[in-house]
């Protein structure tokens, strides 16, 4: 310490400091020294001012080391093929090593020839730009290096000012100190905006040439390299001459730097631009309502934008594996649309789809409406004007055409007049080309519906159609429309009865049934579809096959509605009130829920959770959804190691007695063989299903399928109203399923429904439900003798009363199972052929 220092040291220190002060005082008296001091102070103040104005609060360069660009979500189908993207911008991220070196040099020639030599700043270029800007009142020109462009694109804004330019220079120096040249180029090539909503060279390569970067030719590389300067100018066909001139300049620069030969330069300069208009056909963008449902679920789970989290749909770069089956989806869409068109045929024009202003901005208004259609080459057009017996129409791409009055003769439903007379400028309509720029009016069906196809083994949804076209109406009637299920609810009423002591052979009266509701309401009497007071006593099977309301209500009354609504809730159909009308489908549910409930019947009553998404991976491949996803260990081994093959364990709770579920499925096979869905019988494969028609009728249903695919469909108006007395599930909805089957499932090997352990197959008389001996079921669906499924100890007992043994005609020889030796097989032999049911 100074206090402890020797006296001579303190004296010497004071003397020296006084000398320095004296020297500085003497020097300050000299003018040149004062000017140097003022300049030094000004410099320090300038540095401080620059820091305060430009360098303070600059973003950290460190974030570029771990920079993750916003990437779109990629969707794959059940086979792993990319089929859809969710993107507001085209983005594809590649590593630096994946870019061809010739492509990299094209960008260096166009943007920054000395990139690998400078430290981030091109000082001669900056000086030249300053002189140019001082003598030019137009848009300021710059001398941005690639490093500066990275700083601007990733860390700054596009503001045109000297302030931003200085900040850009400061950041460029910092970036050069933090990243290697290759890392800087990788960021640049992945992020540079290049027009057509493309960010990055790979995305632009797809947008302009429909190629990946490793497939580009030299002249195409040079074109992509000119885009950073003015992508909206060079990327338009009308500016092709400017683009070619600039491209050829880049090719010349590549030659001057020794990166290509003169022959390569000349050959490339002679090539046309060769731009495509389609862009990015590598991704089919299919799926319609299916992919919209996937998007909804992903947004609910991860959010929409980067602000919502690291795995957002439009920025997180997710890879999503779905259960989407393209063949089934196309069949579902075609079948539902054809069904809607059949119902709508002959009913006239339902009016315009929407309306816009028919002014000079009609094209942009039509394009921004995002209304479109993908059916039979139909197009959405705007009515521009009407004169001389025809209308002028326009399309979103700017094309125009003519719609003669003779091609719009449909009657207008609201007024009864012609559709042509009802059209007004600005109406959006559906048309189809007839040739020579002439179009004919088409009508979008006013009725709609929903369709779902699901696996009864896993709950994976293969196909989903929620209306005519998702671009006409995004409302998904497969998952969002709550409708009355009608008679499709009856299998679950009878399932409850089977759990409470009844059997498929139980006799139930098909006759008048009334319930006293109190003095104010009196009796509530039920009736069968189409009226009628009943037909006497029949088996439960017959009542389900023929969809007899009176038998269903009588069964529900005997069992009690409380256990029935519990079954309906347990099977995921919905929470319904314990009223007898619920047993006839008076509640509400969706196609997805109803299809899943039938799929669980085919799955022996085991729980299934319908899903369109198998799993989602982040940009690095880690599975982030579902939370408890586990891979199948050993499934991807190259060779068999001799150990047991991997098997998926059964999942889901047992929601229904498996024997009950099979009994219901077995009865529902009869609905197809001889009941309300008999029109499906000629498909010639094991099918089960149930039709449904609600009061009005307002909705027509069919739900059913094979042991491997279960589908559900309904059609009806969005605002429920009477569809016409001729409408029934069997005549309106079942044909939709039939077309779907013929287009997507007909080539599959037929598989029979299997019974769970414990089920007893017994020969009974189909009409009386009595057990039969000495005779066998035949191949005729209406044969008197059938196999019926019973739980142990519930089958009809053997009797010795002659009047209870109904004589049956012996089937034809080809219908009788035979055995070598005595010409007839036993029950056990017959059942062994069907999987060893006991």
């Amino acid at each position: 310490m100074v206090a402890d220092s020797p006296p001579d040291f303190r004296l010497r220190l004071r003397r020296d400091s006084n000398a320095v002060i004296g020297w500085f005082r003497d020097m300050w008296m000299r003018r040149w020294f004062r000017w140097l001091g003022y300049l030094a102070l000004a410099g320090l103040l300038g540095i401080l001012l620059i820091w305060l104005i430009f360098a303070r609060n600059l973003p950290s360069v460190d974030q570029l080391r771990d920079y993750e660009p916003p990437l779109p979500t990629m969707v794959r189908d059940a086979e792993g093929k990319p089929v859809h993207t969710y993107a507001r911008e085209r983005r594809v991220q590649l590593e630096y090593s994946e870019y061809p070196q010739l492509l990299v040099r094209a960008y260096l020639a166009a943007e920054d020839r000395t990139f690998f030599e400078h430290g981030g700043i091109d000082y001669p270029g900056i000086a030249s730009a300053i002189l140019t800007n001082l003598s030019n009142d137009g848009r300021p020109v710059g001398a941005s290096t690639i490093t500066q462009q990275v700083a601007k694109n990733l860390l700054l804004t596009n503001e045109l000012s000297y302030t931003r330019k200085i900040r850009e220079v400061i950041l460029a120096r910092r970036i050069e100190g933090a990243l290697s040249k290759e890392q800087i180029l990788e960021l640049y090539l992945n992020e540079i905006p290049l027009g057509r909503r493309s960010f990055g060279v790979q995305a632009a390569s797809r947008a302009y040439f429909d190629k990946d970067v490793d497939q580009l030719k030299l002249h195409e590389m040079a074109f992509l390299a000119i885009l950073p300067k003015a992508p909206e100018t060079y990327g338009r066909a009308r500016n092709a001459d400017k683009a070619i001139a600039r491209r050829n300049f880049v090719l010349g620069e590549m030659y001057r730097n020794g990166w290509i030969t003169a022959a390569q330069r000349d050959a490339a300069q002679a090539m046309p631009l060769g731009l495509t208009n389609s862009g990015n056909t590598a991704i089919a963008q299919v799926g319609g309502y299916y992919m919209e449902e996937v998007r909804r679920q992903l947004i609910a789970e991860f959010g929409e934008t980067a602000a919502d989290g690291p795995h957002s749909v439009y920025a997180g770069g997710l890879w999503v594996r779905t259960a989407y089956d393209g063949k089934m989806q196309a069949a579902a869409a075609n079948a539902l649309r054809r069904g809607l068109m059949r119902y709508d045929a002959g009913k006239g024009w339902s009016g315009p789809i929407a309306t816009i202003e028919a002014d000079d901005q009609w094209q942009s208004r039509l394009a921004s409406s995002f209304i479109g259609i993908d059916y039979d080459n139909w197009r959405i057009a705007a009515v521009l004007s009407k004169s001389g017996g025809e209308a002028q129409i326009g399309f979103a791409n700017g094309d125009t055409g003519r719609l003669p009055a003779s091609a719009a003769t449909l009657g207008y439903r609201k007024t009864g007049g012609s559709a042509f007379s009802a059209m007004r400028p600005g109406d959006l309509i559906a048309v189809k080309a007839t040739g020579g720029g002439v179009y004919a009016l088409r009508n979008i069906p006013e009725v709609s519906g929903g369709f779902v196809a699901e696996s009864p083994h896993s709950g994976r949804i293969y196909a989903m159609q929620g209306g005519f076209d998702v671009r006409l109406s995004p409302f998904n009637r497969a998952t969002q429309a709550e409708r009355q299920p009608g008679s499709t609810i009856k299998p679950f009423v009878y399932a409850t009865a089977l759990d409470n002591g009844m059997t498929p052979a139980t006799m139930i009266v098909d006759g008048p049934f009334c319930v006293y509701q109190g003095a104010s309401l009196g009796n509530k009497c039920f009736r069968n579809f189409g009226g009628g007071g009943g037909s006497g006593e029949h088996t439960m099977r017959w009542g389900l096959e023929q969809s007899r309301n009176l038998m269903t209500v009588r069964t529900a009354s005997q069992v009690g509605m409380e256990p029935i609504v519990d079954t309906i809730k347990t099977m995921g159909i919905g929470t319904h009130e314990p009223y007898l009308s619920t047993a006839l489908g008076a509640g509400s549910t969706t196609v997805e829920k109803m299809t899943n409930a039938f799929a669980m019947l085919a799955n022996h009553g085991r729980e299934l959770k319908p899903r369109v998404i198998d799993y989602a991976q982040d940009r690095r491949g880690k599975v982030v959804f579902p939370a408890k996803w586990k891979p199948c260990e050993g499934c991807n081994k190259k060779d068999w190691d001799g150990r047991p093959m991997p098997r998926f364990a059964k999942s889901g709770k047992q929601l229904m007695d498996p024997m009950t579920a099979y009994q219901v499925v077995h009865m529902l096979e009869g609905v197809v063989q001889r009941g309300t869905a008999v029109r499906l019988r000629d498909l010639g494969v094991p099918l089960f299903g149930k039709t449904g028609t609600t009061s009005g009728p307002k909705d027509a249903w069919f739900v059913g399928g094979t042991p491997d695919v279960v589908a559900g469909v309904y059609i009806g108006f969005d605002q429920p109203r009477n569809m016409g007395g001729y409408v029934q599930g069997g005549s309106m909805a079942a044909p939709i399923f039939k077309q779907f089957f013929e287009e997507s499932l007909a080539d599959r090997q037929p598989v029979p429904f299997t019974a769970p352990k414990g089920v007893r197959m017994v020969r009974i008389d189909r009409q009386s439900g009595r057990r039969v001996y000495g005779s066998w079921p035949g191949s005729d669906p209406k044969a008197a003798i059938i196999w019926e499924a019973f739980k142990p100890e519930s089958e009809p007992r053997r009797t010795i009363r002659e009047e209870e043994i109904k004589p049956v005609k012996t089937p034809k020889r080809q219908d009788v199972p035979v055995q070598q030796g005595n010409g007839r097989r036993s029950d056990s032999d017959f059942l062994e052929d069907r999987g060893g049911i006991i």
Side-chain angles (χ1 to χ4, degrees):
M1 295 295 183
V2 175
D4 298 330
S5 300
D8 59 338
F9 176 78
R10 292 198 302 270
L11 180 62
R12 188 169 59 253
L13 183 63
R14 187 181 302 113
R15 185 177 63 247
D16 291 345
S17 62
N18 290 336
V20 170
I21 294 172
W23 177 86
F24 187 80
R25 187 182 297 113
D26 292 340
M27 293 299 293
W28 190 256
M29 298 301 294
R30 302 178 184 182
R31 180 178 297 179
W32 65 269
F33 187 82
R34 288 200 304 272
W35 278 109
L36 284 176
Y38 292 147
L39 288 174
L41 180 61
L44 290 174
L45 290 174
I47 292 173
L48 178 62
L49 191 61
I50 289 174
W51 181 84
L52 289 173
I53 296 176
F54 304 111
R56 189 179 63 165
N57 298 326
L58 278 177
S60 172
V61 175
D62 292 338
Q63 61 186 287
L64 292 180
R65 291 191 178 94
D66 301 316
Y67 177 70
E68 291 187 343
L71 293 176
T73 290
M74 305 291 293
V75 182
R76 298 176 182 268
D77 64 9
E79 300 299 323
K81 178 184 176 182
V83 291
H84 199 86
T85 62
Y86 302 117
R88 296 189 175 118
E89 300 167 343
R90 291 188 174 105
R91 290 181 182 269
V92 180
Q93 187 177 19
L94 299 180
E95 294 182 0
Y96 175 74
S97 60
E98 296 180 274
Y99 286 103
Q101 280 302 301
L102 203 56
L103 177 61
V104 174
R105 287 170 175 172
Y107 274 91
L108 295 180
E111 295 293 317
D112 192 354
R113 181 175 57 85
T114 61
F115 172 75
F116 282 98
E117 301 166 9
H118 62 63
I121 310 299
D122 181 8
Y123 293 105
I126 291 177
S128 175
I130 291 174
L131 292 175
T132 301
N133 291 333
L134 289 175
S135 60
N136 184 9
D137 295 333
R139 176 187 174 95
V141 299
S144 293
T145 64
I146 283 178
T147 311
Q148 287 176 261
Q149 292 183 55
V150 169
K152 179 189 70 173
N153 292 333
L154 301 185
L155 300 177
L156 298 174
T157 67
N158 288 323
E159 173 193 3
L160 290 175
S161 69
Y162 289 109
T163 299
R164 194 220 73 202
K165 200 70 177 176
I166 295 173
R167 292 164 63 89
E168 182 182 294
V169 168
I170 296 171
L171 278 175
R173 292 293 298 167
R174 294 180 181 178
I175 290 173
E176 289 279 346
L179 303 177
S180 68
K181 289 288 188 179
E182 288 76 13
Q183 289 174 316
I184 295 171
L185 271 177
E186 180 179 311
L187 287 171
Y188 175 79
L189 295 172
N190 281 332
E191 287 298 309
I192 188 73
L194 298 174
R196 294 195 181 183
R197 296 188 301 113
S198 300
F199 288 77
V201 180
Q202 167 63 21
S205 178
R206 274 289 171 189
Y208 289 98
F209 299 111
D210 200 17
K211 295 180 180 179
D212 293 323
V213 291
D214 60 352
Q215 299 172 324
L216 292 172
K217 297 179 181 179
L218 177 59
H219 70 281
E220 295 167 335
M221 295 178 183
F223 170 81
L224 293 179
I226 73 174
L227 292 176
K229 291 293 185 186
E232 297 304 325
T233 298
Y234 295 135
R236 297 183 182 275
R238 64 173 178 264
N239 298 322
D241 291 341
K242 292 182 180 179
I244 290 175
R246 176 67 181 170
R247 181 203 68 181
N248 290 349
F249 167 78
V250 171
L251 289 167
E253 288 295 297
M254 293 180 73
Y255 168 72
R256 189 165 71 89
N257 284 280
W259 294 333
I260 58 174
T261 64
Q264 287 177 305
R265 178 200 61 191
D266 295 341
Q269 288 180 342
M271 297 295 292
L273 290 180
L275 306 185
T276 64
N277 293 321
S278 56
N280 203 18
T281 56
I283 306 298
Q285 297 296 88
V286 300
Y289 284 100
Y290 191 106
M291 293 304 166
E292 177 61 15
E293 181 62 21
V294 173
R295 189 185 75 92
R296 285 193 183 113
Q297 293 187 19
L298 288 173
I299 288 177
E301 183 70 25
F302 299 113
E304 189 169 355
T305 64
D308 298 318
H311 306 313
S312 63
V313 172
Y314 289 100
L318 294 173
W319 287 84
V320 181
R321 185 68 170 263
T322 69
Y324 176 84
D325 184 298
K327 185 177 181 180
M328 288 195 199
Q329 178 64 33
N334 291 338
L336 181 61
R337 287 170 170 174
R338 296 279 178 83
L340 300 179
M341 295 288 288
R342 280 194 299 270
Y343 174 82
D344 195 70
K347 293 180 171 59
W349 188 52
S350 57
I353 300 166
T355 303
I356 62 172
E357 291 290 332
D359 54 17
D360 57 356
Q361 299 296 317
W362 65 266
Q363 182 185 352
S364 61
R365 296 181 192 279
L366 177 56
S368 62
S369 72
F370 298 105
I371 295 175
I373 192 169
D374 179 22
Y375 178 74
D376 195 27
N377 295 320
W378 291 12
R379 300 178 68 183
I380 301 299
V383 178
L384 304 180
S385 63
K386 288 173 58 178
S387 63
E390 69 178 24
Q392 294 295 317
I393 59 176
F395 302 95
N397 64 355
D399 293 343
T400 59
R402 297 183 297 115
L403 177 68
S406 59
T409 57
L410 295 174
Y412 185 35
R413 299 180 190 183
K414 295 183 179 179
T415 64
S418 72
F420 186 83
S421 62
M423 289 179 192
R424 298 290 181 268
D427 285 350
L428 301 188
I429 59 176
V431 297
K432 183 176 181 179
T434 58
V438 179
Y439 293 81
L441 181 65
R442 292 294 182 263
N443 185 61
I444 305 297
E446 190 176 3
V447 70
S448 196
F451 189 105
V452 170
E454 178 181 339
S455 166
H457 307 299
S458 62
R460 302 172 76 219
I461 294 178
Y462 297 128
M464 176 183 293
Q465 187 70 11
F468 199 85
D469 195 298
V470 70
R471 290 174 295 174
L472 297 174
S473 170
F475 181 69
N476 191 337
R477 295 156 190 85
T479 61
Q480 296 175 294
E482 294 280 345
R483 313 294 292 206
Q484 290 188 347
S487 293
T488 58
I489 204 72
K490 290 177 180 177
F492 305 95
V493 176
Y494 288 118
T496 309
L498 293 171
D499 279 337
N500 284 271
M502 299 178 75
T503 76
T506 298
M507 302 301 291
I508 305 169
V509 174
D510 179 30
F513 187 85
C514 297
V515 178
Y516 182 67
Q517 303 181 102
S520 60
L521 298 176
N523 281 342
K524 164 67 176 178
C525 293
F526 295 87
R527 62 184 179 86
N528 287 316
F529 181 83
S535 58
E537 195 175 40
H538 299 278
T539 63
M540 177 191 290
R541 167 182 283 278
W542 186 88
L544 183 56
E545 290 177 353
Q546 304 303 319
S547 197
R548 306 297 284 183
N549 289 348
L550 293 175
M551 294 178 68
T552 306
V553 172
R554 192 178 297 275
T555 301
S557 177
Q558 180 176 335
V559 174
M561 283 305 302
E562 291 290 349
I564 289 174
V565 296
D566 285 345
T567 297
I568 292 172
K569 182 177 181 180
T570 299
M571 298 299 285
I573 297 171
T575 302
H576 295 174
E577 297 295 332
Y579 304 139
L580 283 175
S581 57
T582 297
L584 301 180
S588 63
T589 188
T590 66
V591 177
E592 181 187 48
K593 292 177 182 178
M594 209 71 211
T595 304
N596 187 62
F598 273 70
M600 288 192 286
L601 290 177
N603 196 36
H604 293 167
R606 188 174 289 276
E607 180 185 31
L608 294 173
K609 293 182 179 179
R611 69 177 193 269
V612 292
I613 301 174
D614 288 339
Y615 56 85
Q617 298 167 279
D618 66 13
R619 65 179 72 207
R620 293 181 178 84
K622 179 183 177 182
V623 175
V624 294
F625 177 84
K628 297 182 179 180
W629 183 87
K630 293 181 180 180
C632 175
E633 299 294 340
C635 287
N636 292 326
K637 286 185 177 179
K638 183 178 180 180
D639 298 308
W640 183 44
D641 59 6
R643 303 182 67 182
M645 299 294 287
R647 294 287 185 270
F648 287 102
K650 291 183 178 180
S651 60
K653 298 179 292 185
Q654 193 70 49
L655 302 182
M656 180 183 289
D657 184 333
M659 289 187 286
T660 298
Y662 177 74
Q663 285 179 298
V664 174
V665 169
H666 192 55
M667 289 190 290
L668 291 175
E669 288 187 85
V671 174
V672 174
Q673 290 300 309
R674 51 191 165 267
T676 56
V678 69
R679 68 174 57 235
L680 303 178
R681 187 174 68 198
D682 61 4
L683 291 175
V685 298
L687 286 173
F688 82 119
K690 184 70 186 76
T691 59
T693 309
T694 64
S695 297
K698 296 177 181 177
D699 296 298
W701 287 76
F702 176 81
V703 188
T706 72
D708 293 325
V709 179
V710 176
V713 58
Y714 94 88
I715 66 170
F717 293 100
D718 287 343
Q719 298 298 323
R721 67 174 190 261
N722 196 317
M723 296 178 66
Y726 63 92
V727 171
Q728 296 182 38
S731 62
M732 194 63 63
I736 294 175
F737 173 86
K738 185 175 185 179
Q739 180 181 339
F740 166 77
F741 181 94
E742 290 173 335
E743 291 186 10
S744 64
L745 302 175
D747 57 349
R748 295 194 177 193
Q749 183 69 28
V751 177
F753 291 94
T754 59
K757 183 178 180 180
V759 167
R760 302 179 67 86
M761 302 300 293
V762 177
R763 288 170 288 153
I764 67 167
D765 175 63
R766 185 168 59 84
Q767 297 296 330
S768 67
R770 295 170 182 165
R771 192 165 186 169
V772 173
Y773 299 93
S775 296
W776 295 78
S779 60
D780 183 0
K782 295 186 178 180
I785 302 171
I786 62 171
W787 289 100
E788 191 59 272
F790 293 92
K791 297 176 183 177
E793 307 302 325
S794 69
E795 67 272 21
R797 297 301 178 189
R798 185 184 299 270
T799 179
I800 61 173
R801 295 176 59 185
E802 185 176 353
E803 63 272 17
E804 292 187 8
I805 303 177
K806 187 174 181 179
V808 181
K809 182 179 179 181
T810 302
K812 295 179 181 180
R813 184 67 181 176
Q814 62 267 27
D815 295 336
V816 180
V818 297
Q819 177 184 0
Q820 292 181 356
N822 59 13
R824 186 176 298 281
R825 304 184 69 182
S826 66
D827 287 8
S828 59
D829 294 327
F830 177 78
L831 296 175
E832 185 65 29
D833 290 341
R834 283 150 181 78
I837 302 170
I838 59 172

